[in-house]
Amino acid sequence: MRDVVSKRTRYPGPITEARVHPHSLVAQGFAEDAALAAVLDRYPADLFDINLYDYDAEGQVSLRTGARGRLSGAELLAAIQQGRLWVNLRNVETGWPELWAAAMDEFAKVQATYPGMKAVTNAGQLIISSPVAKVPYHFDPAGVVLFHMRGRKRVFVYPGDEAHLPEKNMEQVVARQTTEELPYTRAFEGDAQVMDLEPGQALTWPIYAPHRVENLDRFCVSLSMDFQTWPSRFRNGALFANAVLRSRGGRPRMTDRMATPELAARWAASLAMKRAGALKSRIATFERDFEPEVGVADGAGALRA
Ligand SMILES: [Fe+2]
């Protein structure tokens, strides 16, 4: 039998496997309908991601994206609760400062359980999603704490080894040459650590570990907090530098074979490369496919001019 627990990641860090921590954001009232409708009402339209995911029999994903449209907060909430939508509000740190302050207090408690962990930046996304929504296999180039606040979701966390998380793909994501999706096959399923989250539970996992999420037939609300540490900054910089070298025909060493001084040197080089505009982002601004609507299939109505 494969040893799936002790080899969850090839990247050093204080978090060695997915683990649940308690949090108090639900008890503080942040996930109630009235609070959600109010925040949806006032949130800046350019900070919304509205996605509709479809999967084929092999689990391969296709994505449609929605415009914010003109529904009120309460109507948008109803469209999410009845539909098949995944709505992400970016920059919670400025968009909902009261929630953010409470979440940072909770983060400090989580961080204190991992000796040596010290975040230098944190950012948050509030994810409000339909009962049947599923997020495809991907990784985040950051540490993550997922504060689950409402509904039930099942999180699948996979090993961060070369088979599940090829460094070439990581480079492409870090250098914004592609979105965060990784090659996925159903054969990975036997390698997943599977955790069911209830409101009041926060989940964290080893840095970079690939993961995917299935809502368990309930409307779901979670705050996804990502964070950088100095080691993650160094590695992201090294991955960016490697992407640049690779784009010029180089064959860079994998970062998992670099010690801290080499990672730090590559990070420093990446800053100069970024200043020089070495690699332009290839992530196009998406054409929108729909607008949220109440009482239509999937909660996805036609775009209106
Ligand atoms: Fe993620």
Side-chain angles (χ1 to χ4, degrees):
M1 205 175 134
R2 251 181 300 191
D3 179 2
V4 293
V5 174
S6 63
K7 284 274 184 203
R8 299 309 299 183
T9 175
R10 68 196 190 281
Y11 300 109
I15 305 172
T16 55
E17 62 178 319
R19 196 201 294 168
V20 169
H21 300 263
H23 73 79
S24 70
L25 300 177
V26 182
Q28 296 183 58
F30 289 112
E32 287 162 20
D33 276 359
L36 296 171
V39 77
L40 286 167
D41 224 24
R42 67 167 187 262
Y43 222 79
D46 61 331
L47 295 179
F48 275 78
D49 298 314
I50 304 178
N51 291 350
L52 213 174
Y53 296 108
D54 289 293
Y55 297 83
D56 69 14
E58 301 302 315
Q60 302 300 314
V61 67
S62 58
L63 166 69
R64 283 176 278 165
T65 62
R68 166 67 181 82
R70 59 194 89 181
L71 298 185
S72 70
E75 290 166 333
L76 181 51
L77 187 64
I80 302 167
Q81 289 176 335
Q82 297 164 19
R84 206 160 59 77
L85 302 174
W86 182 89
V87 174
N88 184 40
L89 308 183
R90 297 190 306 275
N91 297 13
V92 171
E93 41 305 2
T94 52
W96 194 354
E98 298 82 4
L99 171 59
W100 185 248
M104 284 300 286
D105 287 345
E106 297 297 328
F107 177 80
K109 293 181 211 162
V110 173
Q111 179 165 259
T113 68
Y114 295 100
M117 185 163 123
K118 189 168 185 337
V120 288
T121 58
N122 297 64
Q125 299 88 41
L126 185 66
I127 301 168
I128 306 175
S129 54
S130 296
V132 295
K134 293 195 276 185
V135 177
Y137 187 81
H138 71 282
F139 85 103
D140 302 285
V144 176
V145 181
L146 183 68
F147 294 96
H148 190 50
M149 305 202 303
R150 193 159 155 186
R152 292 175 63 214
K153 50 177 58 169
R154 182 165 293 166
V155 185
F156 302 75
V157 182
Y158 304 79
D161 54 19
E162 180 69 17
H164 299 82
L165 180 67
E167 274 216 357
K168 265 192 206 177
N169 295 85
M170 297 174 76
E171 292 169 11
Q172 295 294 300
V173 169
V174 167
R176 299 184 64 78
Q177 302 297 293
T178 177
T179 58
E180 291 169 42
E181 276 141 42
L182 293 168
Y184 168 79
T185 141
R186 286 237 189 262
F188 291 171
E189 287 310 313
D191 308 322
Q193 199 184 351
V194 184
M195 327 277 289
D196 287 357
L197 288 187
E198 302 285 346
Q201 294 185 319
L203 185 67
T204 187
W205 50 78
I207 191 159
Y208 303 119
H211 51 279
R212 66 183 187 87
V213 184
E214 291 182 358
N215 289 359
L216 296 176
D217 283 319
R218 286 188 180 61
F219 168 70
C220 282
V221 180
S222 310
L223 176 70
S224 174
M225 184 187 284
D226 57 76
F227 62 92
Q228 299 294 339
T229 61
W230 273 109
S232 73
R233 267 190 187 164
F234 286 163
R235 188 168 311 277
N236 288 349
L239 288 164
F240 184 94
N242 277 1
V244 173
L245 295 173
R246 204 181 293 284
S247 76
R248 296 171 180 168
R251 298 187 58 188
R253 279 154 47 74
M254 298 286 199
T255 75
D256 64 351
R257 286 183 220 135
M258 297 178 189
T260 301
E262 187 172 4
L263 292 168
R266 298 235 170 186
W267 165 74
S270 78
L271 297 182
M273 290 167 169
K274 283 179 188 171
R275 273 196 301 273
L279 267 181
K280 292 270 176 273
S281 171
R282 279 197 211 162
I283 300 179
T285 33
F286 285 108
E287 291 280 335
R288 306 296 175 185
D289 303 302
F290 65 87
E291 273 181 35
E293 195 174 324
V294 184
V296 302
D298 301 335
L303 276 176
R304 290 186 286 179

